């Protein structure tokens, strides 16, 4: 979805490595027609989970008690070039909706204003994450991940954690793939976010276990993107030796 970035880098590339669901017409539109295109099965975030083991100590580091239910929240990148035409009005509405969920919220803010809004809405029920942490562990132990971006939502979905995307633009092809597989949902309004939050927080342990099993099965059928990248790099290294 980051069209300006793609238009800048694709024409300069000798080789493009993209998920197989990446639209072919977009490759041409962004200037990648002359590059060698290597497609892999799955999504990039599969590589992020390689070797992952949850570390429960991370919860204590961010102020979450053992057994405490919490949601991980990340807003859309409204200041990014590809979202400048969108208004951030929905953000306050979504945060207000989450207040009724009565669970702790771990917020990854994009601005000081967003942090102020969250503290006003949730008071002592919000934890603002202002440093680098093991986010995969936070997803793993969370009840739900809500993100207006892409990476965090897809990582959580691959862990089998209930994931809601409220990206305001057109969902990228990789999101649609995970949505088709039942690993991620896309909410178009604060009301839809509220409805999905209520649904996911009501899931039984058995239903949550089924989600994790479904995610594991999906990953087992994906290629490791990092291996694909290494192979391609080695080809060019041998070529120019």
């Amino acid at each position: 979805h980051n069209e300006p970035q793609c238009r800048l880098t694709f024409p300069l590339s000798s080789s493009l490595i993209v998920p197989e669901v990446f639209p072919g017409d977009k490759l041409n539109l962004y200037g990648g027609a002359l590059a060698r295109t290597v497609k892999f099965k799955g999504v990039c975030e599969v590589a992020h989970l390689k070797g992952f083991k949850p570390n429960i100590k991370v919860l204590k580091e961010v102020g979450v008690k053992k057994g405490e239910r919490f949601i991980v929240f990340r807003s859309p990148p409204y200041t990014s070039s590809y979202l400048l035409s969108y208004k951030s009005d929905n953000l306050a509405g979504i945060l207000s909706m989450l207040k009724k969920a009565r669970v702790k919220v771990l917020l990854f803010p994009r601005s000081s204003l967003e942090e102020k809004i969250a503290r006003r809405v949730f008071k002592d029920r919000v934890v603002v994450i202002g440093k680098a942490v093991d986010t995969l562990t936070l997803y793993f132990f969370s009840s739900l991940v809500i993100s207006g971006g892409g990476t965090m939502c897809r990582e959580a979905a691959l862990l089998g954690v209930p994931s809601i995307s409220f990206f305001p633009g057109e969902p990228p092809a990789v999101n649609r793939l995970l949505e088709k597989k039942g690993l991620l949902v896309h909410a178009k309004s604060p009301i839809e976010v509220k409805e999905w939050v209520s649904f996911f927080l009501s899931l039984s342990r058995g239903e949550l276990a089924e989600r994790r099993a479904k995610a594991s099965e999906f990953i087992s059928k994906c290629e490791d993107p990092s291996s694909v990248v290494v192979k391609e790099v080695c080809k060019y290294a041998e070529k120019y030796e």
Side-chain angles (χ1 to χ4, degrees), residues 144-208:
L144 172 65
V145 172
I146 306 173
S147 176
T151 301
M152 295 179 74
C153 211
R154 291 190 291 273
E155 287 174 337
L158 291 175
L159 287 172
V161 176
S163 305
I164 302 173
S165 168
F166 67 104
F167 181 72
E170 178 187 353
V174 283
N175 277 29
R176 295 197 297 272
L177 171 64
L178 294 179
E179 191 171 4
K180 181 179 179 181
K181 298 297 181 179
L183 300 176
L184 178 150
V185 298
H186 180 72
K188 301 177 182 178
S189 68
I191 294 297
E192 286 191 16
V193 171
K194 178 186 176 183
E195 291 172 348
W196 279 115
V197 167
S198 297
F199 171 76
F200 284 133
L201 292 182
S202 68
L203 293 180
S204 66
R205 288 187 178 181
E207 290 170 322
L208 292 171

Short mmCIF file of all heavy atoms in Angstrom, two decimals, residues 144-208:
data_model
loop_
_atom_site.label_atom_id
_atom_site.label_comp_id
_atom_site.label_asym_id
_atom_site.label_seq_id
_atom_site.Cartn_x
_atom_site.Cartn_y
_atom_site.Cartn_z
N LEU A 144 -6.17 -9.97 22.40
CA LEU A 144 -6.56 -9.41 21.11
C LEU A 144 -5.55 -8.37 20.67
O LEU A 144 -4.96 -7.68 21.49
CB LEU A 144 -7.94 -8.75 21.28
CG LEU A 144 -8.54 -7.93 20.16
CD1 LEU A 144 -8.84 -8.81 18.96
CD2 LEU A 144 -9.84 -7.28 20.66
N VAL A 145 -5.33 -8.29 19.37
CA VAL A 145 -4.47 -7.24 18.79
C VAL A 145 -5.30 -6.42 17.81
O VAL A 145 -5.96 -6.98 16.94
CB VAL A 145 -3.24 -7.84 18.08
CG1 VAL A 145 -2.47 -6.74 17.33
CG2 VAL A 145 -2.32 -8.52 19.08
N ILE A 146 -5.26 -5.10 17.99
CA ILE A 146 -5.99 -4.19 17.09
C ILE A 146 -4.97 -3.24 16.50
O ILE A 146 -4.26 -2.54 17.22
CB ILE A 146 -7.05 -3.38 17.86
CG1 ILE A 146 -7.98 -4.31 18.63
CG2 ILE A 146 -7.85 -2.51 16.92
CD1 ILE A 146 -8.95 -3.59 19.55
N SER A 147 -4.89 -3.21 15.18
CA SER A 147 -3.86 -2.38 14.55
C SER A 147 -4.36 -1.71 13.28
O SER A 147 -5.06 -2.31 12.48
CB SER A 147 -2.63 -3.24 14.22
OG SER A 147 -1.66 -2.48 13.53
N GLY A 148 -3.97 -0.46 13.14
CA GLY A 148 -4.29 0.28 11.93
C GLY A 148 -3.15 0.21 10.93
O GLY A 148 -3.22 0.77 9.83
N GLY A 149 -2.08 -0.45 11.34
CA GLY A 149 -0.95 -0.65 10.43
C GLY A 149 -1.05 -2.01 9.78
O GLY A 149 -2.14 -2.55 9.60
N GLY A 150 0.08 -2.62 9.47
CA GLY A 150 0.03 -3.92 8.81
C GLY A 150 0.83 -5.00 9.50
O GLY A 150 0.30 -6.06 9.83
N THR A 151 2.10 -4.72 9.77
CA THR A 151 3.01 -5.74 10.29
C THR A 151 2.54 -6.36 11.60
O THR A 151 2.48 -7.58 11.75
CB THR A 151 4.42 -5.15 10.48
OG1 THR A 151 4.90 -4.67 9.22
CG2 THR A 151 5.38 -6.22 10.98
N MET A 152 2.20 -5.52 12.58
CA MET A 152 1.81 -6.03 13.90
C MET A 152 0.58 -6.93 13.80
O MET A 152 0.51 -7.98 14.45
CB MET A 152 1.56 -4.87 14.86
CG MET A 152 2.81 -4.06 15.17
SD MET A 152 2.50 -2.67 16.29
CE MET A 152 2.29 -3.53 17.85
N CYS A 153 -0.37 -6.50 13.00
CA CYS A 153 -1.61 -7.26 12.85
C CYS A 153 -1.34 -8.62 12.21
O CYS A 153 -1.90 -9.64 12.63
CB CYS A 153 -2.59 -6.46 12.00
SG CYS A 153 -4.31 -6.75 12.40
N ARG A 154 -0.49 -8.64 11.21
CA ARG A 154 -0.20 -9.90 10.52
C ARG A 154 0.64 -10.83 11.40
O ARG A 154 0.45 -12.05 11.41
CB ARG A 154 0.49 -9.63 9.18
CG ARG A 154 -0.43 -8.99 8.15
CD ARG A 154 0.20 -8.95 6.78
NE ARG A 154 1.33 -8.03 6.69
CZ ARG A 154 1.22 -6.73 6.41
NH1 ARG A 154 0.02 -6.19 6.22
NH2 ARG A 154 2.29 -5.97 6.31
N GLU A 155 1.58 -10.27 12.15
CA GLU A 155 2.37 -11.09 13.06
C GLU A 155 1.47 -11.78 14.08
O GLU A 155 1.61 -12.97 14.36
CB GLU A 155 3.41 -10.23 13.78
CG GLU A 155 4.56 -9.78 12.90
CD GLU A 155 5.49 -8.81 13.61
OE1 GLU A 155 5.05 -8.15 14.58
OE2 GLU A 155 6.66 -8.68 13.19
N ALA A 156 0.56 -11.00 14.67
CA ALA A 156 -0.36 -11.56 15.67
C ALA A 156 -1.25 -12.63 15.05
O ALA A 156 -1.49 -13.69 15.64
CB ALA A 156 -1.20 -10.44 16.26
N ALA A 157 -1.74 -12.36 13.84
CA ALA A 157 -2.61 -13.31 13.16
C ALA A 157 -1.89 -14.63 12.93
O ALA A 157 -2.48 -15.71 13.08
CB ALA A 157 -3.08 -12.73 11.83
N LEU A 158 -0.61 -14.57 12.59
CA LEU A 158 0.17 -15.79 12.35
C LEU A 158 0.42 -16.57 13.63
O LEU A 158 0.72 -17.76 13.59
CB LEU A 158 1.51 -15.44 11.68
CG LEU A 158 1.42 -14.91 10.24
CD1 LEU A 158 2.78 -14.49 9.75
CD2 LEU A 158 0.82 -15.96 9.32
N LEU A 159 0.31 -15.90 14.77
CA LEU A 159 0.43 -16.58 16.06
C LEU A 159 -0.90 -17.18 16.50
O LEU A 159 -0.97 -17.84 17.53
CB LEU A 159 0.93 -15.60 17.13
CG LEU A 159 2.40 -15.18 17.04
CD1 LEU A 159 2.69 -14.06 18.06
CD2 LEU A 159 3.32 -16.37 17.31
N GLY A 160 -1.94 -16.92 15.71
CA GLY A 160 -3.26 -17.43 16.05
C GLY A 160 -4.00 -16.57 17.05
O GLY A 160 -5.01 -16.98 17.62
N VAL A 161 -3.50 -15.36 17.26
CA VAL A 161 -4.14 -14.42 18.19
C VAL A 161 -5.22 -13.65 17.44
O VAL A 161 -4.99 -13.19 16.31
CB VAL A 161 -3.09 -13.43 18.75
CG1 VAL A 161 -3.76 -12.40 19.65
CG2 VAL A 161 -2.02 -14.18 19.52
N PRO A 162 -6.41 -13.48 18.02
CA PRO A 162 -7.45 -12.69 17.36
C PRO A 162 -6.91 -11.32 16.95
O PRO A 162 -6.34 -10.61 17.77
CB PRO A 162 -8.53 -12.57 18.45
CG PRO A 162 -8.37 -13.82 19.24
CD PRO A 162 -6.89 -14.05 19.29
N SER A 163 -7.07 -10.98 15.69
CA SER A 163 -6.48 -9.75 15.15
C SER A 163 -7.48 -8.95 14.34
O SER A 163 -8.12 -9.48 13.44
CB SER A 163 -5.27 -10.11 14.27
OG SER A 163 -4.34 -10.90 14.98
N ILE A 164 -7.58 -7.67 14.67
CA ILE A 164 -8.47 -6.76 13.96
C ILE A 164 -7.64 -5.68 13.27
O ILE A 164 -6.88 -4.97 13.91
CB ILE A 164 -9.46 -6.07 14.92
CG1 ILE A 164 -10.28 -7.10 15.69
CG2 ILE A 164 -10.38 -5.12 14.16
CD1 ILE A 164 -11.16 -6.49 16.77
N SER A 165 -7.79 -5.58 11.98
CA SER A 165 -7.15 -4.49 11.23
C SER A 165 -8.18 -3.40 10.98
O SER A 165 -9.29 -3.69 10.56
CB SER A 165 -6.62 -5.01 9.89
OG SER A 165 -6.26 -3.92 9.04
N PHE A 166 -7.81 -2.15 11.27
CA PHE A 166 -8.70 -1.05 10.90
C PHE A 166 -7.94 -0.04 10.04
O PHE A 166 -8.11 1.16 10.14
CB PHE A 166 -9.37 -0.41 12.13
CG PHE A 166 -8.45 0.33 13.07
CD1 PHE A 166 -8.41 1.72 13.07
CD2 PHE A 166 -7.66 -0.35 13.97
CE1 PHE A 166 -7.59 2.41 13.95
CE2 PHE A 166 -6.83 0.33 14.85
CZ PHE A 166 -6.80 1.72 14.85
N PHE A 167 -7.07 -0.59 9.19
CA PHE A 167 -6.36 0.23 8.20
C PHE A 167 -7.39 0.98 7.37
O PHE A 167 -8.29 0.36 6.79
CB PHE A 167 -5.49 -0.66 7.31
CG PHE A 167 -4.71 0.08 6.27
CD1 PHE A 167 -3.62 0.85 6.63
CD2 PHE A 167 -5.06 0.01 4.94
CE1 PHE A 167 -2.89 1.54 5.67
CE2 PHE A 167 -4.34 0.69 3.97
CZ PHE A 167 -3.24 1.47 4.35
N PRO A 168 -7.30 2.31 7.30
CA PRO A 168 -8.35 3.10 6.64
C PRO A 168 -8.37 3.03 5.11
O PRO A 168 -9.36 3.37 4.48
CB PRO A 168 -8.07 4.53 7.11
CG PRO A 168 -6.61 4.53 7.42
CD PRO A 168 -6.31 3.16 7.97
N GLY A 169 -7.28 2.59 4.52
CA GLY A 169 -7.24 2.50 3.06
C GLY A 169 -7.66 1.13 2.58
O GLY A 169 -8.24 0.33 3.31
N GLU A 170 -7.37 0.85 1.31
CA GLU A 170 -7.68 -0.46 0.75
C GLU A 170 -6.77 -1.51 1.38
O GLU A 170 -5.55 -1.34 1.39
CB GLU A 170 -7.46 -0.45 -0.76
CG GLU A 170 -7.72 -1.79 -1.42
CD GLU A 170 -7.34 -1.79 -2.90
OE1 GLU A 170 -7.01 -0.71 -3.42
OE2 GLU A 170 -7.36 -2.88 -3.50
N PRO A 171 -7.31 -2.59 1.94
CA PRO A 171 -6.48 -3.61 2.57
C PRO A 171 -5.50 -4.20 1.56
O PRO A 171 -5.90 -4.54 0.44
CB PRO A 171 -7.50 -4.66 3.03
CG PRO A 171 -8.78 -3.92 3.15
CD PRO A 171 -8.75 -2.90 2.05
N PRO A 172 -4.23 -4.34 1.91
CA PRO A 172 -3.27 -4.93 0.98
C PRO A 172 -3.58 -6.40 0.74
O PRO A 172 -4.29 -7.04 1.52
CB PRO A 172 -1.92 -4.75 1.72
CG PRO A 172 -2.29 -4.62 3.16
CD PRO A 172 -3.60 -3.91 3.18
N ALA A 173 -3.05 -6.93 -0.33
CA ALA A 173 -3.34 -8.31 -0.73
C ALA A 173 -2.96 -9.32 0.36
O ALA A 173 -3.66 -10.32 0.54
CB ALA A 173 -2.60 -8.64 -2.02
N VAL A 174 -1.89 -9.07 1.09
CA VAL A 174 -1.47 -10.01 2.13
C VAL A 174 -2.49 -10.03 3.28
O VAL A 174 -2.72 -11.08 3.89
CB VAL A 174 -0.06 -9.67 2.67
CG1 VAL A 174 1.00 -10.12 1.68
CG2 VAL A 174 0.08 -8.19 2.98
N ASN A 175 -3.11 -8.89 3.56
CA ASN A 175 -4.16 -8.86 4.58
C ASN A 175 -5.39 -9.64 4.12
O ASN A 175 -6.01 -10.38 4.88
CB ASN A 175 -4.56 -7.42 4.90
CG ASN A 175 -3.64 -6.76 5.91
OD1 ASN A 175 -2.46 -7.10 5.99
ND2 ASN A 175 -4.17 -5.82 6.67
N ARG A 176 -5.72 -9.46 2.85
CA ARG A 176 -6.89 -10.16 2.30
C ARG A 176 -6.66 -11.67 2.32
O ARG A 176 -7.60 -12.45 2.52
CB ARG A 176 -7.19 -9.67 0.89
CG ARG A 176 -7.62 -8.20 0.83
CD ARG A 176 -8.29 -7.88 -0.50
NE ARG A 176 -7.41 -8.05 -1.63
CZ ARG A 176 -6.61 -7.10 -2.10
NH1 ARG A 176 -6.58 -5.91 -1.51
NH2 ARG A 176 -5.85 -7.32 -3.16
N LEU A 177 -5.41 -12.09 2.12
CA LEU A 177 -5.08 -13.50 2.17
C LEU A 177 -5.33 -14.06 3.57
O LEU A 177 -5.98 -15.11 3.73
CB LEU A 177 -3.61 -13.72 1.78
CG LEU A 177 -3.06 -15.14 2.00
CD1 LEU A 177 -3.78 -16.13 1.11
CD2 LEU A 177 -1.55 -15.16 1.74
N LEU A 178 -4.85 -13.36 4.58
CA LEU A 178 -5.03 -13.82 5.96
C LEU A 178 -6.50 -13.76 6.37
O LEU A 178 -6.97 -14.59 7.15
CB LEU A 178 -4.18 -12.97 6.91
CG LEU A 178 -2.66 -13.12 6.75
CD1 LEU A 178 -1.93 -12.21 7.72
CD2 LEU A 178 -2.24 -14.56 6.97
N GLU A 179 -7.20 -12.78 5.82
CA GLU A 179 -8.64 -12.68 6.11
C GLU A 179 -9.38 -13.87 5.50
O GLU A 179 -10.27 -14.46 6.12
CB GLU A 179 -9.18 -11.37 5.55
CG GLU A 179 -10.59 -11.03 6.01
CD GLU A 179 -11.01 -9.63 5.62
OE1 GLU A 179 -10.24 -8.93 4.94
OE2 GLU A 179 -12.12 -9.23 6.01
N LYS A 180 -8.98 -14.24 4.29
CA LYS A 180 -9.59 -15.39 3.60
C LYS A 180 -9.35 -16.68 4.37
O LYS A 180 -10.20 -17.58 4.40
CB LYS A 180 -9.01 -15.49 2.18
CG LYS A 180 -9.59 -16.62 1.36
CD LYS A 180 -8.97 -16.63 -0.04
CE LYS A 180 -9.52 -17.78 -0.87
NZ LYS A 180 -8.90 -17.81 -2.24
N LYS A 181 -8.19 -16.76 5.04
CA LYS A 181 -7.83 -17.95 5.80
C LYS A 181 -8.45 -17.94 7.20
O LYS A 181 -8.24 -18.88 7.99
CB LYS A 181 -6.31 -18.08 5.91
CG LYS A 181 -5.59 -18.24 4.58
CD LYS A 181 -5.99 -19.52 3.87
CE LYS A 181 -5.24 -19.68 2.56
NZ LYS A 181 -5.62 -20.94 1.85
N GLY A 182 -9.18 -16.89 7.53
CA GLY A 182 -9.83 -16.81 8.83
C GLY A 182 -8.91 -16.44 9.96
O GLY A 182 -9.21 -16.70 11.13
N LEU A 183 -7.79 -15.80 9.65
CA LEU A 183 -6.81 -15.44 10.67
C LEU A 183 -6.85 -13.96 11.05
O LEU A 183 -6.23 -13.56 12.04
CB LEU A 183 -5.39 -15.80 10.19
CG LEU A 183 -5.16 -17.27 9.87
CD1 LEU A 183 -3.76 -17.48 9.31
CD2 LEU A 183 -5.36 -18.12 11.12
N LEU A 184 -7.57 -13.16 10.28
CA LEU A 184 -7.58 -11.72 10.50
C LEU A 184 -8.93 -11.18 10.02
O LEU A 184 -9.53 -11.71 9.09
CB LEU A 184 -6.42 -11.08 9.72
CG LEU A 184 -6.21 -9.58 9.74
CD1 LEU A 184 -4.71 -9.27 9.58
CD2 LEU A 184 -6.97 -8.89 8.62
N VAL A 185 -9.39 -10.10 10.66
CA VAL A 185 -10.62 -9.45 10.19
C VAL A 185 -10.32 -7.97 9.94
O VAL A 185 -9.43 -7.40 10.56
CB VAL A 185 -11.78 -9.58 11.20
CG1 VAL A 185 -12.14 -11.03 11.40
CG2 VAL A 185 -11.43 -8.91 12.53
N HIS A 186 -11.07 -7.39 9.02
CA HIS A 186 -10.90 -5.97 8.69
C HIS A 186 -12.15 -5.21 9.12
O HIS A 186 -13.26 -5.52 8.67
CB HIS A 186 -10.66 -5.79 7.20
CG HIS A 186 -10.48 -4.36 6.80
ND1 HIS A 186 -9.33 -3.66 7.11
CD2 HIS A 186 -11.29 -3.50 6.13
CE1 HIS A 186 -9.45 -2.42 6.64
NE2 HIS A 186 -10.62 -2.30 6.05
N ALA A 187 -11.97 -4.23 10.00
CA ALA A 187 -13.09 -3.41 10.47
C ALA A 187 -13.05 -2.06 9.78
O ALA A 187 -12.00 -1.43 9.69
CB ALA A 187 -13.01 -3.23 11.98
N LYS A 188 -14.20 -1.62 9.27
CA LYS A 188 -14.26 -0.38 8.50
C LYS A 188 -14.73 0.82 9.31
O LYS A 188 -14.74 1.94 8.80
CB LYS A 188 -15.17 -0.57 7.29
CG LYS A 188 -14.72 -1.68 6.34
CD LYS A 188 -15.71 -1.88 5.21
CE LYS A 188 -15.29 -3.02 4.30
NZ LYS A 188 -16.27 -3.26 3.21
N SER A 189 -15.13 0.60 10.56
CA SER A 189 -15.64 1.70 11.38
C SER A 189 -15.47 1.37 12.85
O SER A 189 -15.25 0.21 13.21
CB SER A 189 -17.13 1.91 11.08
OG SER A 189 -17.89 0.81 11.55
N PRO A 190 -15.56 2.38 13.74
CA PRO A 190 -15.47 2.12 15.18
C PRO A 190 -16.52 1.12 15.65
O PRO A 190 -16.24 0.31 16.54
CB PRO A 190 -15.71 3.51 15.79
CG PRO A 190 -15.19 4.46 14.76
CD PRO A 190 -15.59 3.83 13.45
N ILE A 191 -17.71 1.16 15.05
CA ILE A 191 -18.78 0.23 15.43
C ILE A 191 -18.36 -1.21 15.13
O ILE A 191 -18.57 -2.13 15.94
CB ILE A 191 -20.10 0.56 14.69
CG1 ILE A 191 -20.65 1.91 15.15
CG2 ILE A 191 -21.13 -0.54 14.94
CD1 ILE A 191 -21.03 1.96 16.61
N GLU A 192 -17.77 -1.41 13.95
CA GLU A 192 -17.32 -2.75 13.58
C GLU A 192 -16.20 -3.22 14.50
O GLU A 192 -16.13 -4.40 14.86
CB GLU A 192 -16.85 -2.78 12.12
CG GLU A 192 -17.99 -2.74 11.11
CD GLU A 192 -17.52 -3.05 9.70
OE1 GLU A 192 -16.40 -3.57 9.53
OE2 GLU A 192 -18.27 -2.75 8.76
N VAL A 193 -15.32 -2.30 14.88
CA VAL A 193 -14.25 -2.65 15.82
C VAL A 193 -14.87 -3.13 17.13
O VAL A 193 -14.48 -4.16 17.68
CB VAL A 193 -13.31 -1.45 16.10
CG1 VAL A 193 -12.35 -1.77 17.24
CG2 VAL A 193 -12.53 -1.07 14.85
N LYS A 194 -15.85 -2.39 17.61
CA LYS A 194 -16.53 -2.74 18.86
C LYS A 194 -17.16 -4.13 18.76
O LYS A 194 -17.04 -4.95 19.69
CB LYS A 194 -17.61 -1.71 19.18
CG LYS A 194 -18.41 -2.02 20.44
CD LYS A 194 -19.55 -1.05 20.62
CE LYS A 194 -20.40 -1.42 21.83
NZ LYS A 194 -21.57 -0.51 21.99
N GLU A 195 -17.81 -4.41 17.65
CA GLU A 195 -18.48 -5.70 17.48
C GLU A 195 -17.47 -6.85 17.47
O GLU A 195 -17.70 -7.90 18.08
CB GLU A 195 -19.29 -5.69 16.18
CG GLU A 195 -20.50 -4.75 16.24
CD GLU A 195 -21.18 -4.60 14.89
OE1 GLU A 195 -20.59 -5.03 13.87
OE2 GLU A 195 -22.31 -4.05 14.86
N TRP A 196 -16.35 -6.65 16.78
CA TRP A 196 -15.34 -7.70 16.72
C TRP A 196 -14.66 -7.88 18.07
O TRP A 196 -14.32 -9.01 18.45
CB TRP A 196 -14.31 -7.39 15.63
CG TRP A 196 -14.76 -7.75 14.25
CD1 TRP A 196 -14.99 -6.90 13.20
CD2 TRP A 196 -15.04 -9.07 13.76
NE1 TRP A 196 -15.39 -7.61 12.10
CE2 TRP A 196 -15.44 -8.94 12.41
CE3 TRP A 196 -15.01 -10.34 14.33
CZ2 TRP A 196 -15.77 -10.03 11.63
CZ3 TRP A 196 -15.36 -11.43 13.55
CH2 TRP A 196 -15.74 -11.28 12.21
N VAL A 197 -14.44 -6.78 18.79
CA VAL A 197 -13.83 -6.87 20.12
C VAL A 197 -14.70 -7.72 21.03
O VAL A 197 -14.23 -8.63 21.73
CB VAL A 197 -13.61 -5.47 20.74
CG1 VAL A 197 -13.27 -5.59 22.23
CG2 VAL A 197 -12.50 -4.73 20.01
N SER A 198 -16.00 -7.45 21.03
CA SER A 198 -16.95 -8.21 21.85
C SER A 198 -16.93 -9.68 21.47
O SER A 198 -16.96 -10.58 22.34
CB SER A 198 -18.37 -7.66 21.69
OG SER A 198 -18.44 -6.33 22.15
N PHE A 199 -16.88 -9.95 20.17
CA PHE A 199 -16.87 -11.33 19.68
C PHE A 199 -15.61 -12.06 20.13
O PHE A 199 -15.69 -13.17 20.71
CB PHE A 199 -16.97 -11.36 18.16
CG PHE A 199 -16.77 -12.72 17.56
CD1 PHE A 199 -17.77 -13.68 17.62
CD2 PHE A 199 -15.57 -13.05 16.95
CE1 PHE A 199 -17.58 -14.95 17.08
CE2 PHE A 199 -15.36 -14.31 16.40
CZ PHE A 199 -16.37 -15.26 16.47
N PHE A 200 -14.45 -11.45 19.89
CA PHE A 200 -13.19 -12.13 20.21
C PHE A 200 -12.98 -12.32 21.71
O PHE A 200 -12.44 -13.34 22.15
CB PHE A 200 -12.01 -11.36 19.60
CG PHE A 200 -11.86 -11.55 18.12
CD1 PHE A 200 -11.67 -10.47 17.28
CD2 PHE A 200 -11.91 -12.82 17.56
CE1 PHE A 200 -11.54 -10.64 15.91
CE2 PHE A 200 -11.77 -13.01 16.18
CZ PHE A 200 -11.58 -11.92 15.37
N LEU A 201 -13.39 -11.34 22.51
CA LEU A 201 -13.22 -11.46 23.95
C LEU A 201 -14.14 -12.52 24.57
O LEU A 201 -13.95 -12.92 25.72
CB LEU A 201 -13.44 -10.11 24.64
CG LEU A 201 -12.38 -9.03 24.36
CD1 LEU A 201 -12.71 -7.76 25.14
CD2 LEU A 201 -10.98 -9.52 24.72
N SER A 202 -15.13 -12.96 23.80
CA SER A 202 -16.06 -13.97 24.30
C SER A 202 -15.69 -15.39 23.87
O SER A 202 -16.37 -16.35 24.24
CB SER A 202 -17.48 -13.66 23.82
OG SER A 202 -17.59 -13.83 22.41
N LEU A 203 -14.61 -15.54 23.10
CA LEU A 203 -14.22 -16.86 22.63
C LEU A 203 -13.77 -17.75 23.78
O LEU A 203 -13.14 -17.29 24.73
CB LEU A 203 -13.08 -16.74 21.61
CG LEU A 203 -13.40 -16.07 20.27
CD1 LEU A 203 -12.16 -16.03 19.39
CD2 LEU A 203 -14.53 -16.79 19.54
N SER A 204 -14.09 -19.02 23.68
CA SER A 204 -13.69 -19.99 24.70
C SER A 204 -12.24 -20.41 24.48
O SER A 204 -11.65 -20.14 23.42
CB SER A 204 -14.59 -21.21 24.63
OG SER A 204 -14.39 -21.91 23.41
N ARG A 205 -11.67 -21.09 25.45
CA ARG A 205 -10.30 -21.57 25.31
C ARG A 205 -10.18 -22.54 24.12
O ARG A 205 -9.18 -22.53 23.41
CB ARG A 205 -9.86 -22.28 26.59
CG ARG A 205 -9.62 -21.34 27.78
CD ARG A 205 -9.04 -22.10 28.96
NE ARG A 205 -8.76 -21.20 30.06
CZ ARG A 205 -8.23 -21.59 31.22
NH1 ARG A 205 -7.92 -22.87 31.40
NH2 ARG A 205 -8.00 -20.72 32.18
N GLY A 206 -11.19 -23.34 23.95
CA GLY A 206 -11.18 -24.28 22.84
C GLY A 206 -11.18 -23.58 21.50
O GLY A 206 -10.46 -23.97 20.57
N GLU A 207 -11.97 -22.52 21.38
CA GLU A 207 -12.04 -21.75 20.13
C GLU A 207 -10.72 -21.02 19.87
O GLU A 207 -10.27 -20.92 18.72
CB GLU A 207 -13.20 -20.76 20.20
CG GLU A 207 -14.57 -21.44 20.15
CD GLU A 207 -15.70 -20.50 20.46
OE1 GLU A 207 -15.54 -19.62 21.34
OE2 GLU A 207 -16.77 -20.63 19.82
N LEU A 208 -10.10 -20.54 20.92
CA LEU A 208 -8.80 -19.86 20.77
C LEU A 208 -7.73 -20.86 20.35
O LEU A 208 -6.85 -20.54 19.54
CB LEU A 208 -8.41 -19.17 22.08
CG LEU A 208 -9.27 -17.97 22.49
CD1 LEU A 208 -8.92 -17.51 23.89
CD2 LEU A 208 -9.08 -16.81 21.50
#
